Amino acid sequence: MVFTERERAYLESQRLGRMGTVDAKGRPQVRPVGFQLNQDGTIDIGGPNLSKSQKWRNLETNPEVSFVVDDMTPDEPGAVKPGWGRGIEIRGTAELLTDHEPPSYGGAWFSREVIRIHPHVVHAWHLDPDQLTRRAQVSA
C-alpha cells in the first residue's frame, strides 16, 4: 500500500502540486504542476513540450524527486485541525516516458511525454483524525 484511503481520496480531490528537482550543478528547482494519481500509486505529470522543459532535463541527470500537494484544512465541523495546513509530501524516483499517452487533464495540447513518480517515502499531515501525521517508507 503506497497511500492510505484518506491520502488517496485527498490526492484525487486536488489538481495542483509542486515538484522539486535538482539540476546538474546541484541547484534546486520547484515548479507547480498538474498531476494524475494512478491506481498503482504512481503519479503522472504531463505538459506541452515536456521533454524540452528544465524539470525534464534535471530529471535526466538526477531522477530523485520531491512532490508536495497541500492546502488549508476546511474550517468546518469534522475537519481535521480546521484552519491548519494539510498535505502530502512524496519523495521518490522519476521515470521519463516518451510516446506515452499524457494525463487526461491536459487535453490535446500536452505532448506525448510523461514524468512518472514512483514513491519511496510518503509523509502526510492533518488528513486523518486518528493519525495526525504519517511517515512511511513505501518502497526501497
Side-chain angles (χ1 to χ4, degrees):
M1 170 186 75
V2 176
F3 300 107
T4 67
E5 286 183 34
R6 288 183 191 263
E7 291 165 357
R8 180 172 280 283
Y10 177 73
L11 288 172
E12 289 172 346
S13 75
Q14 302 296 308
R15 297 180 185 260
L16 186 66
R18 284 168 282 297
M19 183 174 69
T21 62
V22 177
D23 73 12
K25 293 183 179 179
R27 296 177 297 217
Q29 180 195 42
V30 177
R31 289 290 183 261
V33 293
F35 70 96
Q36 173 180 292
L37 176 63
N38 301 316
Q39 282 300 114
D40 65 358
T42 59
I43 294 170
D44 284 356
I45 295 166
N49 299 315
L50 192 58
S51 66
K52 302 214 182 323
S53 69
Q54 183 64 50
K55 58 186 161 284
W56 185 281
R57 290 191 303 273
N58 291 350
L59 292 167
E60 284 178 319
T61 303
N62 179 353
E64 297 303 308
V65 64
S66 181
F67 183 67
V68 174
V69 177
D70 63 337
D71 67 357
M72 299 302 290
T73 57
D75 193 10
E76 59 190 39
V80 178
K81 298 287 186 184
W84 288 34
R86 65 178 176 176
I88 298 176
E89 178 190 6
I90 299 156
R91 294 183 187 180
T93 304
E95 177 183 10
L96 303 177
L97 303 172
T98 57
D99 197 25
H100 193 279
E101 190 69 28
S104 60
Y105 65 84
W109 62 284
F110 272 19
S111 56
R112 292 188 52 81
E113 301 156 331
V114 169
I115 296 170
R116 178 164 290 161
I117 298 173
H118 296 270
H120 299 304
V121 175
V122 173
H123 179 211
W125 59 96
H126 300 158
L127 298 178
D128 185 343
D130 298 325
Q131 186 177 17
L132 289 181
T133 62
R134 180 179 90 99
R135 185 174 185 86
Q137 181 86 26
V138 295
S139 74

